[in-house]
Amino acid sequence: MELLRKWLGHPEDIYNLLRFKMGGYRAVMPRIDQDSLGRGLRTCYRYLNQTSRSFAAVIQALDGELRHAVCIFYLVLRALDTIEDDMTISLDVKVPMLHEFHSYLYQPEWKYMESKEKDRQVLEDFPTISMEFRNLSKVYQDVISDVCHKMGVGMAEFLEKKVDSQHEWDRYCHYVAGLVGIGLSRLFSASELEEPIVGEDTKLANSMGLFLQKTNIIRDYLEDQLDGREFWPREVWSRYTKKLSDLAKPENIDMAVQCLNELITNALHHVPDVLTYLSRLKNQTVFNFCAIPQVMAIATLAACYNNKQVFRGVVKIRKGQAVTLMMDATNIQAVKAIMYQYVEEIYQKIPSTDPSSNKTQQVIASIRAMSLPGSPMASRHHYSPIYLSCAMLLAALSWQYLSTISKATEEYVQAGEN
């Protein structure tokens, strides 16, 4: 019944969960005809579903040949990331592999059979992936190879190097996520579904990736600590504690939350770039592909801001909330309204004693200026009494059904959480 009580407080979640489950998902994640694909591409899409059903869904919604290019781009970077993550590979083997990985795209027989990682199939059957890479138009090949090369070099740089300064935090996030944003943007322009400026403006594309990566790093503090990983910049956390791990101690919770708020404030500085980037997109499938993760990220930051739970467990947005965001974020005015809603939520939680309060207020002011509500979407959560009554009755009748939502759908609405 706890689930029911949560839903009663968010009737729009109930409505959108039902819409999503009963076919609304097709608007944002239509399936492609597998029979129309060759054997190699079918295999690649199978690997895509196995490694991330959420990304598989949004990639399959893209138009035309761009869909295949992004699928291969994802699998190539997944293979590279699998090498980087595999702690059983010694550094004297791993570093040269990361530096040379882009060259393996042009070696038809190259594969790696020694990985112990769960996604090792992308390395063991790399010949299939590299073959489909070579089947892409040269303009796509050049983008994927270039990004793969730069990312491999960056990963090698940070293998034994901790993130110290905020500049290094930006640099690390650039290598692991900003380059993905830049590569995708270049693919969008190469497909001619978007204007050349989308691929040429690397500053905005980089910010798209940094906003997502910083959100994940902030949210995943405790998980990373338990895994022995540290991605919060020393320059920031050292002002609050002597050791990053000490932020999880109950006696340090006030300082921990202040550190958290400073990092969230840092991440919010990317939102204006995100809005400018999204405002340039013309193709609906590209817009959905780009916008959904960004609105998931701002909702996640709003949930994390000034929240002690970040240091005690997992902070996630509600499933119904995620579905609502997915189904609403289909145009720039809607995205601006969503951004406005969540920065207002953060603003209302700013403690007057927080050391970063002035900076947080300043960055929120700049986001407000770009996303002032001026469309029906700005009041999208105002419902009539009749609607509320119907929604509550619907919740009482259907909460058990909705609680058994399929695994595929659940993984998809976590697209912004992975």
Side-chain angles (χ1 to χ4, degrees):
M1 293 300 291
E2 179 62 26
L3 181 61
L4 175 58
R5 283 193 291 272
K6 288 181 180 179
W7 279 342
L8 287 175
H10 303 278
E12 73 279 9
D13 290 358
I14 307 166
Y15 174 65
N16 282 317
L17 273 168
L18 283 173
R19 281 178 61 204
F20 190 83
K21 187 67 176 175
M22 295 171 68
Y25 64 89
R26 294 190 184 95
V28 288
M29 51 182 244
R31 288 204 170 276
I32 61 174
D33 179 10
Q34 293 286 330
D35 293 336
S36 67
L37 304 177
R39 182 177 178 180
L41 269 179
R42 282 201 303 273
T43 299
C44 287
Y45 278 102
R46 186 173 78 249
Y47 291 154
L48 184 64
N49 276 285
Q50 291 171 350
T51 54
S52 177
R53 289 185 180 179
S54 56
F55 279 112
V58 291
I59 288 172
Q60 288 176 175
L62 291 169
D63 285 337
E65 62 182 15
L66 176 62
R67 178 191 305 132
H68 302 323
V70 174
C71 172
I72 300 305
F73 184 45
Y74 174 86
L75 291 177
V76 168
L77 297 188
R78 172 59 66 183
L80 179 65
D81 190 56
T82 301
I83 292 290
E84 193 264 347
D85 283 344
D86 195 331
M87 302 307 292
T88 68
I89 305 175
S90 63
L91 287 180
D92 60 334
V93 173
K94 184 182 291 188
V95 171
M97 285 181 71
L98 292 175
H99 278 278
E100 298 300 322
F101 198 86
H102 67 289
S103 68
Y104 303 152
L105 292 167
Y106 299 98
Q107 298 177 30
E109 303 302 321
W110 188 90
K111 57 186 175 182
Y112 186 72
M113 305 298 292
E114 308 301 321
S115 178
K116 308 301 181 185
E117 292 291 296
K118 62 181 178 63
D119 293 332
R120 60 184 176 274
Q121 71 267 27
V122 295
L123 292 171
E124 294 173 350
D125 193 20
F126 198 74
T128 297
I129 297 170
S130 67
M131 176 185 68
E132 291 303 327
F133 163 83
R134 293 188 299 276
N135 286 339
L136 295 173
S137 298
K138 186 176 185 301
V139 66
Y140 296 134
Q141 290 186 40
D142 290 346
V143 171
I144 295 171
S145 177
D146 181 54
V147 170
C148 183
H149 186 196
K150 291 174 180 175
M151 188 176 289
V153 171
M155 285 178 168
E157 177 184 333
F158 280 92
L159 276 178
E160 292 187 297
K161 176 181 177 182
K162 289 191 175 182
V163 178
D164 285 328
S165 67
Q166 293 184 67
H167 172 74
E168 285 181 342
W169 197 37
D170 282 356
R171 184 175 174 83
Y172 170 76
C173 291
H174 165 74
Y175 282 133
V176 300
L179 282 172
V180 178
I182 291 169
L184 286 169
S185 300
R186 290 170 62 189
L187 293 177
F188 298 156
S189 293
S191 72
E192 299 185 354
L193 293 175
E194 298 296 345
E195 296 296 325
I197 187 63
V198 172
E200 292 168 357
D201 195 335
T202 57
K203 177 182 179 294
L204 296 189
N206 188 58
S207 283
M208 291 283 285
L210 263 62
F211 185 58
L212 299 181
Q213 186 65 23
K214 287 182 178 182
T215 297
N216 290 340
I217 288 173
I218 291 167
R219 181 202 61 198
D220 293 341
Y221 164 84
L222 190 60
E223 178 184 334
D224 287 336
Q225 282 294 304
L226 294 174
D227 290 342
R229 300 177 302 201
E230 294 188 353
F231 298 111
W232 284 24
R234 177 186 293 270
E235 180 184 342
V236 174
W237 63 255
S238 63
R239 290 197 286 267
Y240 301 92
T241 185
K242 292 183 178 180
K243 292 196 302 182
L244 182 56
S245 58
D246 286 347
L247 292 179
K249 295 180 178 179
E251 62 269 24
N252 296 327
I253 192 62
D254 291 340
M255 298 297 281
V257 169
Q258 291 177 3
C259 182
L260 168 70
N261 291 348
E262 181 173 347
L263 290 179
I264 290 176
T265 300
N266 177 294
L268 288 174
H269 281 87
H270 297 293
V271 173
D273 278 354
V274 167
L275 291 174
T276 301
Y277 180 97
L278 293 175
S279 70
R280 290 176 173 172
L281 301 179
K282 308 298 182 186
N283 180 272
Q284 186 65 58
T285 65
V286 172
F287 185 90
N288 293 349
F289 179 89
C290 295
I292 290 172
Q294 301 296 330
V295 296
M296 297 283 193
I298 191 67
T300 299
L301 289 182
C304 289
Y305 186 82
N306 210 48
N307 189 347
K308 299 176 182 178
Q309 186 61 24
V310 171
F311 304 95
R312 298 170 177 167
V314 180
V315 175
K316 289 186 177 182
I317 59 177
R318 303 180 309 275
K319 296 294 189 296
Q321 183 183 7
V323 167
T324 297
L325 290 170
M326 282 168 40
M327 299 185 75
D328 283 354
T330 57
N331 62 78
I332 187 60
Q333 290 306 319
V335 170
K336 286 181 176 181
I338 292 168
M339 292 290 187
Y340 186 91
Q341 171 193 339
Y342 284 110
V343 297
E344 284 301 301
E345 185 177 312
I346 292 172
Y347 184 83
Q348 295 302 321
K349 295 192 290 185
I350 299 175
S352 59
T353 57
D354 190 273
S356 303
S357 60
N358 288 338
K359 290 182 179 179
T360 309
Q361 291 168 355
Q362 288 170 8
V363 70
I364 286 178
S366 68
I367 297 169
R368 279 173 172 165
M370 294 186 68
S371 56
L372 286 172
S375 69
M377 287 304 302
S379 57
R380 63 198 179 93
H381 288 158
H382 294 174
Y383 295 87
S384 70
I386 292 176
Y387 171 79
L388 291 172
S389 299
C390 291
M392 290 179 184
L393 176 61
L394 185 59
L397 294 173
S398 62
W399 72 275
Q400 267 190 319
Y401 166 72
L402 287 173
S403 67
T404 61
I405 197 167
S406 69
K407 181 179 179 181
T409 301
E410 181 175 341
E411 289 193 4
Y412 180 70
V413 300
Q414 290 175 347
E417 302 172 5
N418 297 321

